[in-house]
Amino acid sequence: DGFGFELPSIDWLPDESFYSLCSRLHRLFGHAQPAATARLLFGHSRRGSQPAFPTRLAQFISRTRGAFGTSVERILRSHSIAAFYFPWRTLRSRTLAVQACASGNLRALRAELAAPQTDDKIPLRYCQQCAANDRSSSGVAYWHLCHQFPGVWICIHHNLALTYIEPRYLQGLSVFNQWHLPLDFARLGTIPLRSYAPQLSNRLERQAHIATRVAKLHDDFRIDYVELRQPYMDAIAAKGWKSVEDSYEARRFRQHWI
């Protein structure tokens, strides 16, 4: 079982997501139907193509003969947004998440990472300047992992607002298959550029750097909620705020937390 023909001679591009790699492979295979690529890579016509969290990675590694990595956990950490969620989870949850990813249990994977159970809250995003640079240097615009982490709406390299594609738009798009690359949408001309006021842009830039740094924490690092809570409570008390449960105080807290 497997490819039955030679695997295209490509490798990971810098900061590339797993979904992006599969989308590039789909184009190189020349398949008219997206299900054909899914069956080839994952042994299933629909599994594995979710942009946020890859599944059936054990099958992927076997079918690609380890060409893109031999460790389910390493691929999950290095090329998916799971890297952002791992530091917040216990060792047991991390282990179960990796097992779920290997076997194809997407619901269990999301549950163990405490991630959204649908992709409605996880839109694909790209930076137009990155896309232009990628086309110049690599010949293709691809999905950068650093743009996909929760809370990232600004490119940390160019300080530009990211263009985003909502999942509901993907579901209703019939002119392309489910293996998308950024310029699929740029050619349609239906995704408007976003811009933010300077003050909000600065906050979003800091937020993007925080999310990226969380995702790059050492594999064994764990953020302890109990230890994290007290410094925040002390800071809230020092500012004279009564409670972040109050809607007004909560707004003030959100404005100052970054």
Side-chain angles (χ1 to χ4, degrees):
D1 201 5
F3 278 101
F5 56 88
E6 187 176 355
L7 182 67
S9 181
I10 66 169
D11 202 349
W12 295 102
L13 293 171
D15 187 44
E16 185 173 26
S17 72
F18 182 80
Y19 174 75
S20 178
L21 174 74
C22 294
S23 295
R24 289 198 296 127
L25 285 170
H26 175 68
R27 281 153 174 75
L28 292 173
F29 292 151
H31 290 153
Q33 297 299 322
T37 295
R39 283 192 295 269
L40 200 61
L41 295 178
F42 307 102
H44 194 285
S45 60
R46 294 187 304 275
R47 300 294 184 186
S49 61
Q50 298 82 6
F53 297 103
T55 56
R56 294 179 70 89
L57 276 189
Q59 280 285 330
F60 175 84
I61 290 171
S62 174
R63 288 165 176 269
T64 57
R65 307 181 191 96
F68 304 104
T70 57
S71 165
V72 170
E73 181 173 359
R74 183 47 48 202
I75 293 176
L76 190 63
R77 283 181 176 272
S78 301
H79 301 285
S80 85
I81 64 172
F84 172 85
Y85 292 93
F86 266 69
W88 306 93
R89 309 307 294 159
T90 64
L91 177 59
R92 172 178 168 78
S93 288
R94 298 179 193 184
T95 301
L96 292 175
V98 171
Q99 293 174 357
C101 175
S103 66
N105 191 336
L106 180 59
R107 181 176 294 274
L109 170 61
R110 293 177 187 270
E112 292 300 337
L113 294 180
Q117 281 297 320
T118 68
D119 284 343
D120 293 344
K121 304 295 184 183
I122 314 176
L124 283 165
R125 285 156 284 186
Y126 74 96
C127 167
Q128 295 208 0
Q129 186 59 56
C130 284
N133 293 347
D134 293 340
R135 289 193 72 188
S136 177
S137 62
S138 305
V140 62
Y142 60 94
W143 302 109
H144 284 253
L145 184 60
C146 68
H147 297 152
Q148 314 308 321
F149 294 129
V152 175
W153 299 101
I154 294 283
C155 177
I156 61 174
H157 303 297
H158 301 107
N159 194 27
L160 294 175
L162 298 178
T163 298
Y164 71 92
I165 299 92
E166 295 182 6
R168 63 180 179 177
Y169 183 77
L170 287 175
Q171 294 167 2
L173 192 62
S174 59
V175 67
F176 296 110
N177 55 53
Q178 74 238 42
W179 300 110
H180 303 282
L181 287 171
L183 294 190
D184 292 347
F185 304 98
R187 283 193 291 267
L188 286 178
T190 56
I191 306 298
L193 281 172
R194 295 184 62 87
S195 60
Y196 302 104
Q199 184 178 12
L200 177 58
S201 180
N202 290 337
R203 290 176 178 168
L204 290 176
E205 183 183 8
R206 292 195 296 272
Q207 181 171 295
H209 279 284
I210 291 171
T212 303
R213 288 168 184 167
V214 167
K216 291 183 177 181
L217 289 171
H218 190 273
D219 289 358
D220 296 328
F221 191 94
R222 178 172 179 264
I223 299 172
D224 191 307
Y225 288 100
V226 176
E227 293 184 2
L228 188 65
R229 181 178 184 274
Q230 194 56 49
Y232 275 96
M233 296 306 295
D234 292 344
I236 289 170
K239 289 184 176 292
W241 297 340
K242 296 179 180 178
S243 171
V244 293
E245 299 299 325
D246 176 83
S247 60
Y248 173 70
E249 299 289 4
R251 285 196 299 271
R252 294 176 64 191
F253 176 73
R254 286 196 296 269
Q255 290 172 355
H256 288 83
W257 82 275
I258 300 178

